[in-house]
Amino acid sequence: MTVELSAAELPTYTRWPVEIARGEGSTVWDTSGKSYLDLYGGHAVAATGHCHPRIVEAIREQAGELLFYSNVVALPVRTRASEAIIAQAPAPLSKVFFVNSGTEANENAMRLARRFTGRSDVLSFHGGFHGRTSDAISAAGLAKYRELGRPNVPGHRLAPFGDLAAAEAAADEKVAAVLLEPIQSMAGVVTAPASYFQGLRRLCDERGAKLIYDEVQTGFGRTGTFFFAGRHGVMPDLVSLAKGIGSGVPMGAVLVSEGIAQTVQPEDYGTTFGGGPLACAAAEATVRVILEEKLIENVRAGSRRLVDGLSALPAVREVRGEGFLLGVVLDRPCKPVRQALLERGFLVGGSDLPDVLRLLPPLVLTQEEIDRFLVAMSKVL
Ligand SMILES: Cc1ncc(COP(=O)(O)O)c(C=O)c1O
């Protein structure tokens, strides 16, 4: 099956051979009516599943009331969304700045750190990905993206991920921020031990730099806690969010510590669309659905089932990651495996490593759906 690219679209992505028409829960249907179990979630975006009725209702209701007004006025729905998100964030993260995407969240997190410290540089890590606008792409640890962003913003430096001594050597008095994905997704789902995160926190405190967690993928319950921030007793100063926070309505956000927030003046930062009513209605409903439907508990139980089932397959070398952000290391290239899964009605992601499949399913994925996927994986492999 091949799906033609529309002649009117710039060919920015290699398209999967499928044309999706609708979705419900963890299932999507193509234009011919064939169903697919979606373990990719539109790239970790369909957090509450596709078209969750409470999200759809919240968006519909908000669209009928007020489609848009900018940040020059207060909006009840923005107040509710910000309070709902901050209620889940560990102290000292106490304020939220709404933007529109993950890359914009990272741009603003870096700017907040630079302005607060009066320093210029940012330390990020090999394997990391933070978005495609100038500053964020300059922080990419995957060289192919950094190259696409040339000329890069000056003052970016890289260290190997997971190597504390290397970070110590790289973080001098010019470094305003240490920016990392706590679980590097695109790099093939790579993480580090608790001591590494604790060491980075200590290093930032000693050298006067700010610690930024890029939680664009790990945030909002995906890894089995609401945020990665707070895990291992480590509190970052800034957290960038996007992907699933609006369950599909475009939205990004930066969580800001009290100390940094106190130095921000009106007009220092801005965006026209960020914090718009539609996105805020979706984000507020997303938080409530995650909490009230106990989706984090579902992620933990589902993750155990997935990891146990996949680890038992002889062709699987390793399953890494946490919650519903998993990398499945195969003993063979994953491209034909993904194609065979797609033909059987299962969507999974690839990664920067040719032998690592990525699973980023909706947080509502059920045990029955997991078992169906495990049977398909066993047959395909
Ligand atoms: C960890 C991480 N940070 C940032 C981004 C950029 O987000 P966006 O595409 O919304 O700009 C992505 C996107 O894949 C991501 O995975």
Side-chain angles (χ1 to χ4, degrees), residues 73-376:
V73 299
L75 299 173
V77 68
R78 190 187 300 127
T79 304
R80 291 198 306 272
S82 55
E83 288 175 355
I85 292 171
I86 287 300
Q88 302 310 314
L93 298 166
S94 68
K95 298 278 190 286
V96 59
F97 172 33
F98 289 121
V99 292
N100 303 284
S101 64
T103 197
E104 195 185 349
N106 282 319
E107 297 270 330
N108 280 287
M110 287 187 278
R111 187 174 302 171
L112 279 151
R114 287 199 186 97
R115 287 180 59 84
F116 183 86
T117 59
R119 301 175 177 186
S120 56
D121 287 12
V122 173
L123 171 63
S124 55
F125 298 93
H126 292 298
F129 178 77
H130 305 288
R132 295 170 188 260
T133 48
S134 294
D135 210 5
I137 209 166
S138 301
L142 293 165
K144 71 178 180 200
Y145 295 103
R146 206 169 55 249
E147 293 300 318
L148 288 169
R150 289 214 174 275
N152 291 146
V153 171
H156 280 276
R157 44 181 94 180
L158 286 166
F161 183 64
D163 180 343
L164 193 55
E168 277 169 359
D172 62 21
E173 73 293 342
K174 284 175 80 179
V175 169
V178 174
L179 166 67
L180 71 153
E181 287 177 87
I183 300 179
Q184 292 187 327
S185 180
M186 191 101 87
V189 190
V190 179
T191 190
S195 58
Y196 181 65
F197 298 100
Q198 292 157 351
L200 288 181
R201 177 69 273 176
R202 203 166 45 244
L203 177 65
C204 286
D205 290 341
E206 281 167 14
R207 309 266 166 100
K210 295 295 159 197
L211 184 62
I212 307 175
Y213 277 5
D214 177 342
E215 293 219 47
V216 166
Q217 293 215 14
T218 58
F220 267 55
R222 176 157 301 282
T223 64
T225 49
F226 206 95
F227 295 113
F228 196 97
R231 219 182 276 181
H232 312 312
V234 177
M235 313 298 170
D237 304 290
L238 296 149
V239 172
S240 42
L241 300 169
K243 301 272 193 214
I245 72 173
S247 287
V249 178
M251 185 182 230
V254 190
L255 305 183
V256 183
S257 71
E258 190 57 34
I260 297 177
Q262 279 174 5
T263 66
V264 172
Q265 300 297 318
E267 317 300 336
D268 282 356
Y269 301 86
T271 154
T272 297
F273 286 119
L278 213 55
C280 285
E284 183 200 1
T286 299
V287 175
R288 301 212 187 290
V289 167
I290 289 174
L291 298 178
E292 288 164 24
E293 298 191 3
K294 304 209 175 315
L295 297 189
I296 293 178
E297 289 82 343
N298 188 59
V299 167
R300 288 189 193 157
S303 183
R304 277 195 299 274
R305 200 175 185 92
L306 268 171
V307 173
D308 289 349
L310 290 166
S311 305
L313 301 175
V316 172
R317 290 219 165 108
E318 186 190 353
V319 185
R320 55 195 188 208
E322 290 179 43
F324 280 173
L325 172 49
L326 294 176
V328 186
V329 187
L330 302 178
D331 66 356
R332 63 195 75 180
C334 72
K335 203 169 169 192
V337 175
R338 289 175 62 201
Q339 178 62 31
L341 284 167
L342 186 125
E343 282 162 16
R344 285 169 184 264
F346 296 87
L347 302 181
V348 300
S351 75
D352 198 53
L353 301 177
D355 59 344
V356 180
L357 286 179
R358 252 187 321 164
L359 306 180
L360 311 154
L363 312 187
V364 296
L365 189 73
T366 64
Q367 306 231 335
E368 179 276 323
E369 288 167 334
I370 290 170
D371 291 346
R372 254 197 293 142
F373 172 63
L374 291 171
V375 170

